[in-house]
Amino acid sequence: MKLTENILEELDQYTKDFQENILQLSVQRKGSFMMHREWVNLASRFIRQKNEWQIDYFVVRSAESFLLPKAEQESIERIYHYFYQLNLEEQQQFLREWYEAMDETWTWDQVLELLKEWR
């Protein structure tokens, strides 16, 4: 029984990493590295949620975001908080609009403003 649980946990982690890796490879990078990284992380979580796959709600933002200044970390956390208040259709549309508008000049405040339009 324990072996089966370990295999399922490893498979779940593999599928999570697989989705993120596929998004990293297949979606052209836009915006800053961190902005794109956070978009990929959120899009991956959206895909998992839409398919009713397990999501770790305790670890929300990307690991790289913990290297950012505290104010930016807080903005990113607000983005995730507001994002999960949307229904799946709204989440998908928000991710699409964010990606389309994102460029090197975009800030977390602009992402929050776009997200507030959906609330």
Side-chain angles (χ1 to χ4, degrees):
M1 185 69 164
K2 184 69 173 167
L3 179 61
T4 304
E5 289 174 10
N6 289 342
I7 290 171
L8 291 175
E9 287 176 19
E10 287 180 29
L11 181 60
D12 184 61
Q13 184 61 41
Y14 172 78
T15 59
K16 177 185 178 292
D17 292 345
F18 179 76
Q19 288 166 229
E20 286 187 34
N21 290 336
I22 290 297
L23 284 170
Q24 287 281 14
L25 294 171
S26 63
V27 177
Q28 181 180 355
R29 196 192 114 189
K30 291 180 73 177
S32 68
F33 170 80
M34 285 305 302
M35 178 94 39
H36 181 77
R37 177 68 187 103
E38 224 46 63
W39 183 91
V40 166
N41 187 61
L42 193 54
S44 174
R45 293 174 66 83
F46 165 76
I47 291 168
R48 292 181 67 77
Q49 180 178 342
K50 185 175 182 176
N51 289 297
E52 298 180 357
W53 297 337
Q54 182 179 356
I55 297 176
D56 184 356
Y57 287 102
F58 294 109
V59 179
V60 180
R61 55 194 166 104
S62 70
E64 295 89 348
S65 70
F66 287 90
L67 301 173
L68 295 171
K70 189 69 170 170
E72 289 184 56
Q73 291 182 39
E74 290 170 354
S75 292
I76 293 168
E77 287 176 4
R78 280 196 305 277
I79 290 167
Y80 281 84
H81 174 73
Y82 294 145
F83 179 80
Y84 284 116
Q85 293 177 18
L86 304 175
N87 66 41
L88 287 175
E89 185 177 317
E90 292 168 334
Q91 289 177 356
Q92 183 174 12
Q93 187 61 32
F94 164 72
L95 287 168
R96 182 177 294 124
E97 287 185 20
W98 178 11
Y99 180 79
E100 289 173 359
M102 182 173 30
D103 65 21
E104 291 290 334
T105 65
W106 260 55
T107 66
W108 299 114
D109 288 338
Q110 288 174 290
V111 177
L112 278 167
E113 285 301 314
L114 178 62
L115 187 54
K116 287 178 183 176
E117 292 175 14
W118 286 98
R119 289 183 42 212

